[in-house]
């Protein structure tokens, strides 16, 4: 079992660009959540999707969006990147709402 | 609004000594509390959750609603316990929106 996989592992962008991060949940898991972890802080909740529907949204601007596909994989999109968007973006999957979360290794995004 | 506070960024103890990682929370309802751990070069993983009332790797944590605390304890620290520990709160049952504290880096000195 490969666990939750995220791609890419590292990414460098410049201000104003757009970025797409990808996540594949553990096989059989239908829920995917996204978190942002800024250096020195704990993870901060961005979105949760379950059965391809948005079930939760954190306190992030509309520049952040996400979706879940029929195979339960997910994408996180961030438009008009700011320097402050530099962070580790974590994806977590679970079998159902409220079940144990399994985290991926994350995508390290650097905005220059 | 919900908030999780871990007052210690760094904590060092000697091997065999007791360990207590502090966590306090603020939330008006009945939260679910968790401890997550990240060992060096590994993924963030669940250590324990308060509703399970179990001991994992010798660690225990009791939810104290009066003091709004969920401190993590272990009577005898081991070198392999060195890691980053995060306390997290889930405000409503069934949702996956966890609120994390800033974390405590535990170092166990041989």
């Amino acid at each position: 079992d490969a666990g939750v996989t995220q791609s890419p592992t590292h990414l460098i962008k410049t201000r104003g660009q757009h970025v797409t991060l990808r996540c594949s949940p553990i096989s059989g898991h239908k829920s995917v959540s996204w978190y942002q972890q800024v250096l020195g802080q704990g993870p901060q909740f961005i979105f949760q999707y379950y059965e391809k529907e948005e079930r939760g949204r954190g306190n992030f601007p509309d520049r952040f969006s996400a979706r879940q596909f029929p195979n339960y994989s997910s994408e996180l999109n961030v438009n008009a990147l700011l320097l402050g968007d530099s962070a580790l973006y974590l994806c977590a999957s679970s079998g159902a709402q409220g079940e144990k979360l399994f985290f991926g290794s994350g995508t390290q995004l650097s905005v220059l | 609004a919900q908030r999780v506070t871990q007052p210690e960024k760094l904590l060092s103890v000697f091997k065999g000594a007791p360990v207590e990682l502090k966590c306090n929370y603020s939330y008006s309802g009945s939260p679910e509390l968790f401890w997550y751990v990240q060992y060096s070069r590994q993924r963030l993983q669940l250590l324990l959750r308060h509703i399970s009332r179990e001991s994992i790797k010798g660690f225990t944590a009791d939810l104290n609603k009066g003091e709004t605390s969920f401190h993590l304890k272990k009577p005898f620290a081991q070198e392999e316990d060195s890691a980053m520990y995060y306390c997290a709160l889930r405000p409503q049952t069934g949702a996956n929106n966890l609120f994390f504290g800033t974390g405590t880096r535990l170092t166990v000195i041989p």
Side-chain angles (χ1 to χ4, degrees), chain B residues 46-99:
Chain B
L46 177 66
L47 180 61
L48 53 79
R49 55 200 297 183
H50 88 271
I51 61 172
S52 300
R53 301 187 65 82
E54 56 190 345
S55 173
I56 304 293
K57 298 185 178 183
F59 284 98
T60 59
D62 290 318
L63 179 60
N64 186 324
K65 293 185 178 181
E67 296 182 358
T68 60
S69 68
F70 188 57
H71 303 327
L72 183 68
K73 300 177 183 179
K74 184 170 182 176
F76 308 103
Q78 303 299 315
E79 289 179 62
E80 56 265 29
D81 296 329
S82 294
M84 193 73 180
Y85 291 81
Y86 294 96
C87 182
L89 175 156
R90 182 155 67 195
Q92 54 191 59
T93 302
N96 279 351
N97 51 327
L98 296 178
F99 290 84

Side-chain angles (χ1 to χ4, degrees), chain A residues 49-92:
Chain A
Y49 278 78
Y50 178 67
E51 287 282 18
K52 292 155 281 183
E53 291 186 3
E54 182 183 302
R55 298 300 182 98
R57 173 185 285 255
N59 188 24
F60 280 80
D62 292 343
R63 299 184 295 106
F64 288 77
S65 64
R67 56 180 175 168
Q68 187 176 33
F69 298 98
N71 66 354
Y72 302 109
S73 66
S74 177
E75 282 183 355
L76 175 69
N77 295 284
V78 187
N79 291 324
L81 284 167
L82 303 174
L83 296 180
D85 295 331
S86 295
L88 179 68
Y89 289 84
L90 295 169
C91 175

Side-chain angles (χ1 to χ4, degrees), chain A residues 9-76:
Chain A
T9 55
H10 296 83
L11 202 52
I12 299 175
K13 292 286 189 178
T14 56
R15 281 180 298 175
Q17 284 189 313
H18 162 272
V19 68
T20 298
L21 310 181
R22 296 178 174 83
C23 171
S24 293
I26 290 172
S27 178
H29 283 190
K30 299 180 179 180
S31 175
V32 170
S33 302
W34 287 94
Y35 288 81
Q36 180 196 64
Q37 186 172 19
V38 174
L39 192 63
Q41 301 294 317
Q44 187 175 359
F45 174 73
I46 310 175
F47 286 110
Q48 188 220 340
Y49 278 78
Y50 178 67
E51 287 282 18
K52 292 155 281 183
E53 291 186 3
E54 182 183 302
R55 298 300 182 98
R57 173 185 285 255
N59 188 24
F60 280 80
D62 292 343
R63 299 184 295 106
F64 288 77
S65 64
R67 56 180 175 168
Q68 187 176 33
F69 298 98
N71 66 354
Y72 302 109
S73 66
S74 177
E75 282 183 355
L76 175 69

